[in-house]
Amino acid sequence: MEEGFGENTVEKFNKYACACAIVASMISIIFGYDTGVMSGAMIFIKEDLKINDVEVEVLAGILNICALFGSLAAGRTSDYIGRRYTIVLASVIFLLGAVLMGYGPNYPVLLTGRCIAGIGVGFALMIAPVYSAEISSPASRGFLTSLPELCISLGILTGYVSNYLFGKLSLELGWRLMLGVAALPSIALALGILRMPESPRWLVMQGRLGEAKEILLQVSNSAEEAGVRFRDIKVAAGIDENCNDVVLAKVPNNSRGRGVWRELILKPTPAVRWILIAAIGIHFFEHATGIEAVVLYSPRIFKKAGVTSKDKLLLATVGVGLTKTTFILTATFLLDRVGRRRLLLTSTGGMVVALSGLGFCLTMVEHSKETLLWALGLSIVSVYVFVAFFSIGLGPITWVYSSEIFPLRLRAQGMSLGVAVNRVMNATISMTFISIYEAITIGGAFFMFSGIAVLAWLFFYFFLPETKGRSLEEMEMVFSRSRSPQNVEVEIQPKNNVQ
C-alpha cells in the first residue's frame, strides 16, 4: 500500500465521484438538446426561411462535420490544459453557437451558429466520457461513464418537448426560442465545472502526484483502492511505483500528447492496434445502423407511416425521446452487472429484428393505396423497439467502451479519433438519409440499416472482448492478440483488491 493512505475502509459507492461525473456529463445534455430540438425546428425553419431539402440536410449534418474537427482538436487540448478546462471551453463554444442560432435572421447566420455548436459537440463527446472514466473506480466505471449518453438522451427528450411547446408560438419566434435557450445551461455549466476536481490521471501525467493522491482518496471507494489505483496510474505513466514526491520535475512519458499518433497509427503494438480497431469499429457501427435517421427524421418517418397531424407527429417524436431515456437509464445499472459484451450483442440482435420490421411496414404502406392502420401501428412500435434496443446497449456502450480501453498515454487522442469517426458517420447519415430513401424507398433504407446491423453483430462478437471489472491500466493485457474475445470474456473477473 502507498505511503500516506490509510487502512482499508468499508467499501461503498462513492457519491463524490458520481457527482463529478454527473456535472461533467451535463454538457452532453446541451448537445442532446441541440440534436433533438433540430428535428422539430427544421419543420418550422424550412417554412420560415423557405429552404429546400438539400439545405435541410446540410443544416442537419453540418453540426457533425464541424464536430469532427472539434473532436480531433479536443484530444490534444485536453492533454495540454486538462480535462476540466476542456469541458469549460466546450461550454463556451456551445454558448456562442446557441446565441447565433437563436438570433438566426437568415440561413447563413443559422448555419454559422450550427457550425460553432458542432465544434462544441466534438469537444463534449470526447471529454465527458474520458473525464468520467478517469475519476471512476472499476466497480462503477460502466455506470459513471454511461452518464454522458444518458444525458444526451435527456437532452434529446427535452428538445422534443421544446418542439412541442414552442411550436405553438408564432412561426418566426418559435424555432428561434427552441434553438436559443440552449445558451442558458451553457453558462451554468461553465461556472459549475470550475468547482470539480481535475482528473487524477491527467495530474499524474503532469507530475503533480500530491494533488492526484488527494483526489484519488476522494473519488475511491476505500483508502486501499485509492492506493492501488495511484500505484497503477504511476506505472502506466512511466513513474516508479514507490515514488512519493509531491511534484515531479520531469515525467518520463510525454504529457503534452506529442508522439501519440505515431504510437496509435504508424507503429502500434499488436494490443494497441486491436484497441484502435475496436474503438473505430464500435463508433462506426453506432451510427451506420441508422439511429440518427430515426432521432433526427422521426417526424418524416411517422409521416410516411401515415401520421398527418403536426401535433401528433411531434407527440410521437416525444415518445422516441422517452423510450431512449428510459432504456439508457436501465443500461447504466446493467453495464457493471451484465457486462459490456453480452449487453452489446443482445442490443444489436434486437436492432436487426426491429429494423427489418420497420422496413417491412414502411414498404407495405408505400405500396398500398389505402391507409393500413396495422402497418402504421407496427411502424411506430418498430421505431420504439429499435430505439429501446439501441439505448440499452450500443448507444451507451460505445462511449463507455471506447473511453476505457486506450492506455493512459493514448487515451485522449485515441478517444478523439473514435469520436471523429463517430461524427463522420453521424454526418453521413444526417446529410444523406433523405436522398437515400428517395433513391431506394424509405422501407429499403431501413432494410439497408438492418443488414449493416448484422455486420455490426459479427464485428462485436469477434473483435470486442469483455472489459467489465478491469482497471484502466490493465486494458493492454486484455487486448492481447493471443486471446480470442470469447476467452477473454470467460477469464476476466473483477479483482477483489481493486473492487
Side-chain angles (χ1 to χ4, degrees), residues 247-269:
V247 178
L248 286 181
K250 184 178 180 181
V251 182
N253 277 346
N254 197 306
S255 63
R256 299 297 188 190
R258 292 184 292 271
V260 166
W261 295 119
R262 178 182 175 85
E263 290 186 65
L264 267 176
I265 299 173
L266 299 180
K267 290 189 176 180
T269 64

Side-chain angles (χ1 to χ4, degrees), residues 16-96:
Y16 183 65
C18 182
C20 292
I22 289 173
V23 174
S25 301
M26 284 177 63
I27 194 168
S28 299
I29 292 181
I30 305 171
F31 160 56
Y33 176 85
D34 195 60
T35 300
V37 80
M38 186 56 75
S39 69
M42 284 190 298
I43 298 173
F44 304 100
I45 292 170
K46 183 176 181 181
E47 183 180 348
D48 186 26
L49 300 183
K50 312 300 181 186
I51 59 177
N52 57 40
D53 276 348
V54 173
E55 289 171 317
V56 169
E57 285 184 320
V58 171
L59 184 63
I62 196 68
L63 178 129
N64 296 295
I65 295 293
C66 296
L68 163 65
F69 298 103
S71 64
L72 290 173
R76 184 68 178 270
T77 301
S78 69
D79 276 343
Y80 192 82
I81 67 174
R83 315 312 196 207
R84 187 175 58 153
Y85 286 112
T86 303
I87 298 176
V88 174
L89 179 59
S91 301
V92 173
I93 295 172
F94 265 129
L95 172 64
L96 295 175

Side-chain angles (χ1 to χ4, degrees), residues 84-152:
R84 187 175 58 153
Y85 286 112
T86 303
I87 298 176
V88 174
L89 179 59
S91 301
V92 173
I93 295 172
F94 265 129
L95 172 64
L96 295 175
V99 169
L100 272 180
M101 287 191 292
Y103 172 57
N106 51 50
Y107 184 74
V109 173
L110 179 62
L111 198 63
T112 301
R114 187 83 166 150
C115 287
I116 293 173
I119 295 172
V121 165
F123 273 81
L125 287 175
M126 175 265 157
I127 196 59
V130 166
Y131 179 87
S132 299
E134 291 190 343
I135 64 166
S136 58
S137 65
S140 59
R141 190 175 62 243
F143 172 75
L144 296 184
T145 313
S146 64
L147 289 178
E149 183 68 14
L150 175 62
C151 287
I152 289 174

Side-chain angles (χ1 to χ4, degrees), residues 132-181:
S132 299
E134 291 190 343
I135 64 166
S136 58
S137 65
S140 59
R141 190 175 62 243
F143 172 75
L144 296 184
T145 313
S146 64
L147 289 178
E149 183 68 14
L150 175 62
C151 287
I152 289 174
S153 67
L154 285 170
I156 290 172
L157 175 58
T158 306
Y160 289 157
V161 173
S162 176
N163 286 154
Y164 184 71
L165 296 178
F166 289 124
K168 300 180 182 299
L169 300 177
S170 67
L171 179 63
E172 295 79 9
L173 180 63
W175 67 264
R176 288 180 171 87
L177 282 178
M178 291 176 195
L179 300 176
V181 294

